[in-house]
Amino acid sequence: MSSSHIVLLGAIAGFTIYLGLPIGRLQRPAPRLRAALNAVAIGILLFLIWDVLTAAWEPTDTALGDHRWTKAVAGGAMLAAGVGTGLMGLVHYDRWLAGRARRRPSGLSEGPGAAAVTERPVAKSSRAAGLAMMIAVGIGLHNFAEGLAIGNSAASGEISLAVLLIIGFGLHNATEGFGIVAPLSAEGERPSWSRLALLGLIGGGPTFLGTLVGQHVVNDYLSIAFLGLAAGSILYVVIELLSVARKTGMKELTSWMILLGLLLGFATDAVVTAAGV
């Protein structure tokens, strides 16, 4: 299989993320449905954190087992730096956005209470849209690392492995698209098709780029760095979504839907594992 075919399949794997995005166009979902969508997204993202950290730690774990201390320390430090940057970078970015929103003029109003009435929906909309964008960025970093794995496998002549990775990652991305739009559905905000297209490009496009780069650059540290960034950013988003879930007061429904999201993540991963990868 030619390198161009591998890159094409990598692009297809990335853009299966669009299969889950249209659910964000649901019009005014009921409160229980909103809570369920938010909770399923939490479950999917929790699985991704485990999946990402497992892959990121593997080179360091192997180096420790082989007593290659320099590589182990370097890999561990790279992972710690990536997770810290991904997590705390979004914390400070979110604080900057909040400060910017507070300084933004409220606009024209026709009465003393008009500003308060008009500002609240804007703040809610910005919050949901911001969370969706952060999820897309975190998943995009994760997918870039997945693309590197596809490209590295192809570069090593392991074409069958590359194809199996494409199939597995493609299924993963289909569920990840749902996770991206869950905050919008939970807040009853209906994104435009162009907004969904942008979120899908940010979340799924890096799989194509990673496949392209991975065929020419085989580097464990590069993969660890992107996986660490992904884990940190996804962890931040999970913390935010848990806060949203707590406010709904639907503890039993939320717990069941988080479990469903986790099972969906493991089910898609099982395709690759069952194939012997």
Side-chain angles (χ1 to χ4, degrees):
M1 186 179 294
S2 67
S3 59
S4 59
H5 286 160
I6 290 292
V7 171
L8 176 61
L9 290 174
I12 293 172
F15 288 106
T16 55
I17 203 167
Y18 282 104
L19 296 176
L21 291 176
I23 199 170
R25 295 277 298 171
L26 286 175
Q27 289 186 324
R28 298 181 181 179
R32 287 183 66 82
L33 179 57
R34 293 181 187 180
L37 292 173
N38 185 73
V40 171
I42 292 172
I44 292 171
L45 294 175
L46 283 173
F47 167 79
L48 281 178
I49 290 175
W50 171 82
D51 189 43
V52 167
L53 288 177
T54 299
W57 180 250
E58 185 177 0
T60 301
D61 192 52
T62 301
L64 287 169
D66 295 340
H67 298 162
R68 289 178 290 167
W69 308 119
T70 301
K71 185 173 183 178
V73 170
M78 184 68 72
L79 177 57
V83 173
T85 301
L87 175 61
M88 299 313 299
L90 285 184
V91 168
H92 291 294
Y93 176 69
D94 192 34
R95 180 179 294 179
W96 175 77
L97 282 182
R100 185 182 175 191
R102 284 194 296 269
R103 293 191 298 270
R104 187 181 301 156
S106 59
L108 297 176
S109 61
E110 297 181 2
V117 172
T118 56
E119 277 186 23
R120 188 178 175 186
V122 172
K124 179 188 280 190
S125 171
S126 298
R127 186 66 174 170
L131 270 177
M133 182 61 71
M134 289 176 187
I135 294 174
V137 169
I139 287 176
L141 290 168
H142 169 230
N143 285 340
F144 184 84
E146 288 185 341
L148 287 175
I150 294 171
N152 288 172
S153 300
S156 304
E158 300 175 13
I159 301 301
S160 60
L161 173 58
V163 172
L164 287 171
L165 288 174
I166 288 166
I167 294 171
F169 294 155
L171 289 171
H172 267 316
N173 283 344
T175 57
E176 289 167 357
F178 168 75
I180 290 173
V181 295
L184 299 171
S185 298
E187 295 292 355
E189 181 181 342
R190 194 165 182 247
S192 65
W193 287 110
S194 60
R195 180 73 175 178
L196 291 181
L198 176 62
L199 291 171
L201 184 63
I202 293 171
T207 308
F208 164 75
L209 295 176
T211 303
L212 196 62
V213 172
Q215 290 191 81
H216 304 285
V217 179
V218 180
N219 189 297
D220 281 345
Y221 298 124
L222 179 64
S223 180
I224 291 171
F226 277 95
L227 287 170
L229 285 169
S233 56
I234 294 172
L235 177 59
Y236 173 79
V237 171
V238 167
I239 293 170
E240 292 295 301
L241 292 182
L242 283 171
S243 176
V244 173
R246 193 175 298 112
K247 291 176 184 176
T248 66
M250 302 179 188
K251 188 174 183 179
E252 186 176 344
L253 175 65
T254 297
S255 299
W256 277 110
M257 292 299 103
I258 289 176
L259 176 61
L260 176 61
L262 276 170
L263 293 178
L264 282 173
F266 279 104
T268 56
D269 188 63
V271 173
V272 177
T273 305
V277 178

